[in-house]
Amino acid sequence: MKILVPVKRVLDYNVKPRVKADGTGVDLANVKMSMNPFDEIGVEEAIRLKEKGVATEIVAVSVGPAKAQETLRTALAMGADRAILVQTDDEVEPLALAKIFKAIADAEQPGLVILGKQAIDGDNNQTGQMLAALTGWAQGTFASAVNVEGDHVSVTREVDGGLETVKLKLPAIVTTDLRLNEPRYASLPNIMKAKSKPLDTKTPADYGVDTTPRVKTVKVSEPPVRSAGVKVADVDELVAKLKAMGVHS
Amino acid sequence: MKTLVWVEHEGGALKDATLSAVTAASKLGEVHLIVAGAGVGGVAAEAAKIAGVGKVHVADDAAFDHALAENVAPLIVDLMGHHDAFVAPATSNGKNIAPRVAALLDVMQLSDILSVESADTFTRPTYAGNAIATVKTSDAKLVITVRGTAFEKAAKDGGSGTIEAVSSTGDKGLSSFVGAEIAKLERPELTSAKIIVSGGRALKDGPTFESTIFPLADKLGAAVGASRAAVDAGYVPNDYQVGQTGKIVAPEVYVAVGISGAIQHLAGMKDSKTIIAINKDEDAPIFQVADIGLVGDLFTVLPELAGKL
């Protein structure tokens, strides 16, 4: 089967985001950008399924600016076979993203679409579920294990109380959680090889999707700053503080 | 505005996360509830008593057991014919179901809201809680998930909602529940605990984590949490994880033991009322958010602390 893996270029997870002084957003000029960590896990899972002989082809897809090509090249260097960049400088909401991925799924007919459970910039956690709704396919969200067995896939999900396993009819949508796998690093020869793998460039209009936002960001602000705390010298002082707070008598 | 709130329940009992969602929904207008599952009569009766609740829609069918999104979303979409907003707590069920509902209604979803500014304007955290966005929606119907720790819980009694059965939309045959491994907790639940003691990578291994963190937690009647490092290293199961990718908590007191305080972890606990940090590295970022810090070796500090409480 073919596997589709959407990937997003986001602010690197190690970088502390800075809110712009005018409150219009987070400053993304001259900061390190990388592949969303949950998407790396998605690419890795697709590659493992290919190594097991379950998948035959892996198509990485990204919606974003021209620079999102770098993110797709990373996916290709890890082991994806080809890539599609849906180029736009606009910020695209999960609903519009899901509509673009639906159109690509219609054209590519994948057996499985593996997305990250959330992007670490918007923290929405929506695109996979929305794509599942639009395609009418089953969804296995927050996956920590994925097993394709014939015409269905078993997905173990990380839920509030622990783990649960669901069985989904294929084709299906899976979104990755952190513990699904540990993504591999792309080796230098593979990075070189990735440069010659096919990468198609499209636009949202090619898929007939209107990316006008439904939700407008009015303002972005810093979270409230916590006032400076005190350091205590020893356990006795800590116990006294706890007692003063009424935590323990 | 008529809102429909998803009732989160487990083992025949209503979960507290529902109560915060009710408070958020009541800021929008009339509150109706949806209780879906198999054999949920008891939960519906409990839900009808929540203060301020109007109608309680009950969909009792095996197809809704375990809240499979494929089956539950069409049920909610049907009910949205006569509701203006769907509000769910940002639990794993809420996060699984709400976006599927939103896409079926062709509307955007608002995730994890922190406040209701007006009927179309909300605040929500982005970038792991490092930026708070005020967002205004232009959609005709609202689909929202609510951060539980940002809203007071509605009172569990005092209400007199009317219970109404709704016809089942049936099993869509796309998915089925196989089984669950639910971690046994002898202590308070993490997301509703007043006090939390959390351990990090410095705890060395599972048995050390248990022998060091658990006695202090029990002395304080606290829930036990963990950093991602401690979970990844296998000291405790993943449902202990506090952070951007785990649970978001805001207890009265959060005790971080041997946790450096990475952005990812802070996103899950920095709204706690009082943060206490115990760490041997005085430059650990956790001390920048801690109200009370103690620099010291946790292996000597914790037993002494537990002994003196």
Side-chain angles (χ1 to χ4, degrees), chain B residues 48-107:
Chain B
K49 287 189 204 134
I50 299 173
V53 162
K55 208 173 280 178
V56 180
H57 299 278
V58 185
D60 206 324
D61 187 329
F64 304 133
D65 207 8
H66 307 293
L68 294 169
E70 297 79 3
N71 293 345
V72 167
L75 171 75
I76 293 161
V77 168
D78 264 12
L79 287 165
M80 286 302 284
H82 45 94
H83 287 90
D84 308 295
F86 175 63
V87 176
T91 52
S92 47
N93 278 334
K95 291 190 276 196
N96 189 41
I97 296 163
R100 192 165 179 119
V101 170
L104 291 173
L105 295 170
D106 193 32
V107 302

Side-chain angles (χ1 to χ4, degrees), chain A residues 99 121 123-124 126 129 137 139 141 160 163 165 167 169 214 216 218-219 221 226 230 232 236, chain B residues 70 95-96 100 106 111 127-128 132 134 136 138-139 176 178-179 181 244 247 270 272 291 293 308:
Chain A
K99 287 178 181 176
D121 49 1
D123 280 337
N124 281 303
Q126 298 176 7
Q129 295 89 315
W137 296 349
Q139 64 189 56
T141 50
D160 289 337
L163 299 171
T165 302
K167 193 169 145 180
K169 196 175 138 193
R214 307 286 190 89
K216 193 178 145 213
V218 181
K219 183 179 75 178
S221 51
R226 293 188 72 98
V230 293
V232 292
D236 289 327
Chain B
E70 297 79 3
K95 291 190 276 196
N96 189 41
R100 192 165 179 119
D106 193 32
S111 297
Y127 289 90
I132 308 298
T134 305
K136 187 181 163 90
S138 56
D139 278 322
S176 58
V178 177
E181 269 176 65
Q244 184 185 20
K247 287 182 177 137
K270 69 183 163 139
S272 305
D291 300 282
K308 284 179 175 167

Side-chain angles (χ1 to χ4, degrees), chain A residues 86-241:
Chain A
V86 182
Q87 198 173 322
T88 171
D89 286 326
D90 299 334
E91 211 163 298
V92 181
E93 289 175 343
L95 181 61
L97 271 181
K99 287 178 181 176
I100 293 170
F101 296 147
K102 155 82 162 79
I104 296 175
D106 285 345
E108 298 280 349
Q109 299 286 315
L112 210 52
V113 185
I114 309 180
L115 305 92
K117 80 164 175 182
Q118 75 192 64
I120 60 165
D121 49 1
D123 280 337
N124 281 303
N125 193 333
Q126 298 176 7
T127 309
Q129 295 89 315
M130 287 183 157
L131 177 60
L134 299 178
T135 50
W137 296 349
Q139 64 189 56
T141 50
F142 326 140
S144 62
V146 174
N147 285 301
V148 176
E149 297 146 356
D151 61 352
H152 63 266
V153 57
S154 276
V155 178
T156 300
R157 308 177 54 231
E158 299 202 5
V159 295
D160 289 337
L163 299 171
E164 83 170 30
T165 302
V166 290
K167 193 169 145 180
L168 313 175
K169 196 175 138 193
L170 289 173
I173 311 289
V174 168
T175 75
T176 65
D177 217 320
L178 278 172
R179 268 162 294 275
L180 180 57
N181 60 48
E182 206 155 312
R184 69 194 64 192
Y185 289 102
S187 65
L188 189 58
N190 286 342
I191 292 170
M192 299 312 288
K193 266 188 239 161
K195 291 185 177 167
S196 55
K197 286 186 179 176
L199 192 156
D200 278 348
T201 303
K202 302 275 191 184
T203 66
D206 292 337
Y207 298 104
V209 176
D210 175 8
T211 58
T212 311
R214 307 286 190 89
V215 176
K216 193 178 145 213
T217 300
V218 181
K219 183 179 75 178
V220 176
S221 51
E222 296 263 4
V225 181
R226 293 188 72 98
S227 52
V230 293
K231 282 207 175 128
V232 292
D234 53 29
V235 170
D236 289 327
E237 215 183 311
L238 178 56
V239 171
K241 289 256 181 206

Side-chain angles (χ1 to χ4, degrees), chain B residues 196-214:
Chain B
I196 295 173
V197 179
S198 262
R201 195 199 297 274
L203 272 308
K204 287 199 176 107
D205 53 37
T208 312
F209 191 103
E210 286 188 20
S211 64
T212 317
I213 298 288
F214 287 12

Side-chain angles (χ1 to χ4, degrees), chain B residues 146-194:
Chain B
V146 172
R147 176 167 292 192
T149 57
F151 292 87
E152 293 290 322
K153 293 183 179 78
K156 271 189 152 174
D157 29 44
S160 52
T162 52
I163 296 174
E164 193 178 297
V166 291
S167 45
S168 173
T169 42
D171 190 337
K172 301 296 167 194
L174 291 169
S175 58
S176 58
F177 175 82
V178 177
E181 269 176 65
I182 300 302
K184 277 197 197 97
L185 281 183
E186 291 134 26
R187 300 184 177 80
E189 198 193 33
L190 205 46
T191 48
S192 55
K194 284 204 165 64

Side-chain angles (χ1 to χ4, degrees), chain B residues 258-299:
Chain B
I259 292 176
S260 64
I263 296 176
Q264 198 284 133
H265 186 74
L266 298 182
M269 45 62 82
K270 69 183 163 139
D271 294 325
S272 305
K273 201 160 169 216
T274 302
I275 297 173
I276 299 174
I278 300 169
N279 204 301
K280 69 177 176 191
D281 174 10
E282 61 180 317
D283 296 322
I286 192 76
F287 286 119
Q288 290 164 22
V289 300
D291 300 282
I292 304 171
L294 175 57
V295 178
D297 182 353
L298 68 94
F299 294 110

Side-chain angles (χ1 to χ4, degrees), chain B residues 209-260:
Chain B
F209 191 103
E210 286 188 20
S211 64
T212 317
I213 298 288
F214 287 12
L216 177 63
D218 291 342
K219 273 277 163 82
L220 293 169
V224 175
S227 69
R228 184 182 160 193
V231 171
D232 281 350
Y235 304 171
V236 287
N238 60 43
D239 48 299
Y240 281 68
Q241 186 181 321
V242 172
Q244 184 185 20
T245 54
K247 287 182 177 137
I248 312 284
V249 299
E252 300 276 317
V253 181
Y254 188 89
V255 188
V257 182
I259 292 176
S260 64

